[in-house]
Amino acid sequence: MASLHLSSRFLATNTKKHSSISISHHYSPTPFTGLFSRKKFMSCSMSMNGCEGDFKTPLGTVETRTMSTVLSPTAATERLISAVSELKSQPPPFSSGVVRLQVPIDQQIGAIDWLQAQDEIHPRCFFSRRSDVGRPDLLLDLASDNENANRNGSDRDLVSVAGIGSAVFFRDLDAFSHDDWRSIRRFLSPNSPLIRAYGGMRFDPNGKISVEWEPFGAFYFSVPQVEFNEFGGSSMLAATLAWDDELSWTLENAIEALQETMLQVSSVVVRLRRESLGVSVLSKNHVPTKGAYYPAVEKALEIIKQKSSSLSKVVLARNSRVITDTDIDPIAWLAQLQSEGHDAYQFCLQPPGAPAFIGNTPERLFQRNQLGVCSEALAATRPRAASTARDMEIERDLLTSPKDDLEFSIVRENIREKLNSICDKVVVKPQKTVRKLARVQHLYSQLAGRLRREDDEFDILAALHPTPAVCGLPAEEARLLIKEIESFDRGMYAGPVGFFGGDESEFAVGIRSALVEKGLGALIYAGTGIVAGSNPTSEWNELDLKISQFTKSIESEATTTTTLQPIN
């Protein structure tokens, strides 16, 4: 259980009293360099903070109502508006609850296309699963026959989810605690698997929150008011409302807020793909600068070499501020990343009045399906090559490099140890291989185990975050060195990003990510693992390689090729 103890500084394991914090949907976006008061949060007129409820008291109902299948988003929107009106005339007889109304659509429509068509005034979220084709499903091997039968539900074909508005949100300035997890679980049920809370947590919730990350708090999760689900071969439009009289947010409040949002939903969805974002870069600055980064790496290496130090690895990050001539559309940027990121998760998280945190991360933190949980080790980086022969040569070099094997082994064995602390059985398969992405390749291994209890889900987060791949080892020593060396706030970069669900939860690691703000460009984040044998020049070049998927589209000529195809 030592690993759980080390991680306790990243997640609060003790009961805490929540500060009363809400978010206003009318809060003005804060410039990265502006002033912001932590305590200045007005009540949200369109939702409630579920963290303020009594997690010990079950909701009166958690249910999903499915309408008949329609042929288009327009028909689905009209059907949902009608269903919400019917719910208002025949309300459920409960003082608290959550109801999801969903309409299947008989065609596959991109969730990101739907999201791009919606008004930007609402909080937004997007989560797209990566493709795991070609990799063994270790959860399938560990699960019982009954669990495997339950895994074959329609949500297994879910490709991506886009949401606007907030039926209920969960946010606090204190570290995510077991009580917060129970508050979220209160609104979920295995019988309604698509009612999910999407969001993320800070890399270091105990660190000082900088201006640009203020609206996110230490963590932020939301069950969307209106949600678009993209499945393999079909789609679904859903509306969710949640209420709790004890929080002064009644069913009537929830229905009125949902009706207001539904009236603003656009059913005119177009397939929009851009070869370029059509922006020009005015300036790009790194924090730290190259001159400051080299000494930081050397300092870390000196500490690692000291016999008195237990530090074997530390991950040092950089943020790159890019200012452009026109605003970057975060959803269009994410769509562009998605076009080359089939082997990665794509996400967008944007609380009310906040910048958009977007990412194209290849790394899974964990996936839980009932009692099964899987994670993975991903470390060491090399570029891809234009020719197959050269690419294989780089792969062989990666597989045989002692320095990269050390970096990777530290990550894999630490995750194995952490899973052993919460699981009865842990499987590692393969021990080491190369995972190839569009621009880079990494050393890779999958790990899976079987939880002793389903209630141990919070312990998965407490055990696995942060992994040595984004922090270092030992975690606490690495965290302290990061706090000393890095002069910027990582925010949710390298933190858990994903969703909690009734029977399934999945989190990616928020790397290969950027924070996008209107009028202020973007902050692009990347990090590299420093171990014995690391070279400052090589590490700096690796940072450039990792952010290239973001910068290639905004450093090209400001020309745009756009294809618009209306979806009826």
Side-chain angles (χ1 to χ4, degrees):
M1 300 300 288
S3 59
L4 284 175
H5 172 71
L6 285 175
S7 301
S8 65
R9 294 181 181 271
F10 291 87
L11 291 171
T13 55
N14 296 325
T15 302
K16 70 182 182 185
K17 182 178 180 181
H18 292 290
S19 53
S20 181
I21 295 174
S22 299
I23 299 178
S24 170
H25 281 252
H26 309 291
Y27 184 80
S28 299
T30 306
F32 288 161
T33 55
L35 297 177
F36 185 90
S37 170
R38 284 195 161 184
K39 298 179 180 179
K40 190 176 181 181
F41 292 100
M42 295 176 287
S43 296
C44 172
S45 61
M46 296 182 68
S47 189
M48 61 178 171
N49 188 344
C51 289
E52 297 173 358
D54 182 5
F55 58 79
K56 297 177 182 178
T57 303
L59 294 182
T61 183
V62 178
E63 60 183 274
T64 297
R65 302 181 184 182
T66 305
M67 320 300 150
S68 57
T69 301
V70 298
L71 298 178
S72 69
T74 300
T77 302
E78 292 172 352
R79 184 67 190 90
L80 281 180
I81 290 174
S82 175
V84 173
S85 296
E86 292 170 8
L87 191 70
K88 186 174 184 178
S89 62
Q90 296 180 319
F94 303 104
S95 61
S96 64
V98 54
V99 176
R100 174 184 166 102
L101 307 169
Q102 58 187 32
V103 181
I105 303 172
D106 194 19
Q107 61 171 314
Q108 183 174 353
I109 299 169
I112 200 164
D113 297 319
W114 179 86
L115 184 60
Q116 199 166 37
Q118 307 311 313
D119 198 311
E120 298 178 16
I121 65 170
H122 299 287
R124 300 185 286 186
C125 68
F126 178 83
F127 188 79
S128 179
R129 277 180 158 149
R130 71 182 191 195
S131 171
D132 282 330
V133 174
R135 282 189 286 272
D137 188 345
L138 298 187
L139 287 183
L140 193 64
D141 297 337
L142 287 171
S144 65
D145 291 340
N146 183 54
E147 287 174 329
N148 282 330
N150 291 335
R151 291 185 74 212
N152 291 328
S154 61
D155 59 310
R156 297 303 305 165
D157 297 324
L158 187 60
V159 176
S160 56
V161 175
I164 62 170
S166 177
V168 56
F169 68 90
F170 307 87
R171 181 191 182 281
D172 207 327
L173 294 178
D174 295 328
F176 189 73
S177 70
H178 191 264
D179 287 357
D180 296 317
W181 175 77
R182 293 180 68 183
S183 294
I184 293 176
R185 295 288 299 179
R186 181 173 178 243
F187 287 83
L188 309 176
S189 169
N191 297 323
S192 293
L194 291 179
I195 297 178
R196 294 171 171 176
Y198 295 90
M201 308 173 198
R202 287 173 56 81
F203 166 75
D204 184 357
N206 299 304
K208 183 179 179 181
I209 303 177
S210 59
V211 170
E212 65 270 23
W213 289 104
E214 286 280 5
F216 294 82
F219 62 89
Y220 175 83
F221 288 89
S222 174
V223 177
Q225 269 184 319
V226 183
E227 184 179 307
F228 195 92
N229 302 142
E230 176 187 356
F231 297 92
S234 65
S235 307
M236 180 181 286
L237 186 66
T240 303
L241 51 99
W243 71 97
D244 187 346
D245 291 356
E246 292 299 317
L247 292 179
S248 299
W249 185 255
T250 65
L251 176 59
E252 183 179 357
N253 295 143
I255 290 176
E256 289 178 359
L258 178 57
Q259 287 178 321
E260 182 180 339
T261 301
M262 286 298 303
L263 290 175
Q264 300 173 59
V265 170
S266 173
S267 299
V268 182
V269 182
V270 296
R271 293 188 180 95
L272 175 59
R273 291 294 181 267
R274 298 182 178 188
E275 300 301 325
S276 167
L277 291 178
V279 301
S280 296
V281 176
L282 301 179
S283 65
K284 182 171 70 174
N285 298 290
H286 302 301
V287 178
T289 62
K290 194 172 186 178
Y293 181 78
Y294 279 43
V297 173
E298 295 291 356
K299 179 177 181 178
L301 288 171
E302 288 178 8
I303 295 174
I304 289 172
K305 291 176 183 177
Q306 291 174 3
K307 292 183 179 180
S308 60
S309 173
S310 60
L311 189 70
S312 59
K313 176 183 179 179
V314 64
V315 177
L316 298 183
R318 182 186 79 183
N319 78 25
S320 302
R321 182 188 298 274
V322 176
I323 304 297
T324 55
D325 60 339
T326 57
D327 287 336
I328 300 173
D329 181 344
I331 305 304
W333 208 2
L334 192 61
Q336 191 175 70
L337 295 171
Q338 190 180 42
S339 66
E340 70 168 46
H342 298 298
D343 201 22
Y345 296 93
Q346 290 83 41
F347 64 83
C348 174
L349 182 61
Q350 189 170 22
F357 180 48
I358 66 172
N360 185 51
T361 173
E363 187 172 354
R364 169 183 287 158
L365 182 64
F366 77 89
Q367 179 188 6
R368 178 193 66 82
N369 191 287
Q370 299 177 76
L371 290 175
V373 58
C374 66
S375 185
E376 61 191 28
L378 191 75
T381 306
R382 290 286 192 283
R384 297 297 304 274
S387 70
T388 302
R390 177 57 182 153
D391 203 54
M392 291 298 293
E393 184 180 333
I394 294 173
E395 177 183 333
R396 286 192 295 272
D397 177 66
L398 180 58
L399 282 168
T400 57
S401 164
K403 178 262 180 185
D404 291 303
D405 182 70
L406 172 62
E407 181 180 348
F408 173 73
S409 297
I410 287 172
V411 174
R412 183 191 61 209
E413 294 311 305
N414 182 258
I415 294 174
R416 186 206 302 261
E417 176 188 341
K418 289 177 174 180
L419 285 177
N420 275 324
S421 71
I422 56 175
C423 295
D424 286 328
K425 178 184 179 183
V426 175
V427 176
V428 182
K429 184 180 181 181
Q431 290 292 319
K432 182 172 77 171
T433 190
V434 171
R435 182 164 164 214
K436 294 180 181 289
L437 304 173
R439 296 172 180 273
V440 295
Q441 45 191 321
H442 304 284
L443 293 177
Y444 172 79
S445 178
Q446 286 192 98
L447 303 93
R450 191 169 173 78
L451 293 173
R452 298 181 181 97
R453 300 177 307 145
E454 203 162 306
D455 285 348
D456 289 340
E457 182 177 61
F458 176 80
D459 292 335
I460 304 173
L461 275 174
L464 292 179
H465 175 69
T467 70
V470 296
C471 182
L473 193 73
E476 182 59 13
E477 283 80 346
R479 182 190 73 85
L480 291 173
L481 185 58
I482 289 169
K483 185 177 180 180
E484 178 185 344
I485 290 179
E486 291 183 1
S487 58
F488 64 93
D489 178 16
R490 290 190 179 191
M492 287 188 176
Y493 162 71
V497 179
F499 69 85
F500 290 109
D503 65 351
E504 181 182 18
S505 300
E506 186 166 7
F507 282 83
V509 181
I511 57 174
R512 317 290 159 86
S513 52
L515 196 64
V516 188
E517 173 72 288
K518 272 192 172 182
L520 294 160
L523 292 173
I524 308 173
Y525 299 86
T528 59
I530 310 302
V531 297
S534 292
N535 175 275
T537 300
S538 298
E539 302 302 332
W540 184 265
N541 292 338
E542 183 177 321
L543 292 172
D544 287 337
L545 179 64
K546 287 179 174 176
I547 70 169
S548 64
Q549 59 179 319
F550 283 94
T551 58
K552 66 147 188 158
S553 56
I554 57 176
E555 291 180 340
S556 59
E557 293 183 5
T559 57
T560 305
T561 302
T562 304
T563 302
L564 294 174
Q565 298 178 336
I567 300 172
N568 297 321

